[in-house]
Amino acid sequence: REDKCGYINPKEYRILASIGIEEDNWIAITEHFEEYFKGAVGAPDSLDEHIHQAHLKRRPNNKNSSKYLV
């Protein structure tokens, strides 16, 4: 609904589709971003590249990235 937090104009659905994020996930991410993510955020493949370049030993945000961004 237009008066609800997280409302997405139907014209903008294609933007979410083009970046591969479902509407419900977008709402969850925007309402709870800092709760769900700490550090680098992105699709699992992007995080793999970040880990390699930053010489990290662990993959940050693996569970929530897989849940909300795939």
Side-chain angles (χ1 to χ4, degrees):
R1 286 186 8 205
E2 216 171 300
D3 62 330
K4 300 294 266 178
C5 180
Y7 168 77
I8 301 170
N9 184 313
K11 294 178 183 178
E12 296 164 348
Y13 287 138
R14 69 173 204 262
I15 295 170
L16 292 178
S18 71
I19 58 175
I21 298 177
E22 295 178 17
E23 179 183 350
D24 291 341
N25 288 346
W26 177 254
I27 292 170
I29 290 169
T30 58
E31 290 178 345
H32 304 284
F33 190 86
E34 292 179 351
E35 179 183 337
Y36 293 164
F37 299 103
K38 307 287 187 230
V41 177
D45 291 343
S46 297
L47 288 177
D48 287 341
E49 182 65 26
H50 170 70
I51 290 165
H52 177 72
Q53 290 181 0
H55 306 286
L56 299 175
K57 295 181 181 187
R58 295 179 59 194
R59 185 186 207 187
N61 303 311
N62 182 41
K63 181 180 176 184
N64 284 333
S65 290
S66 294
K67 181 176 180 180
Y68 294 107
L69 300 174
V70 175

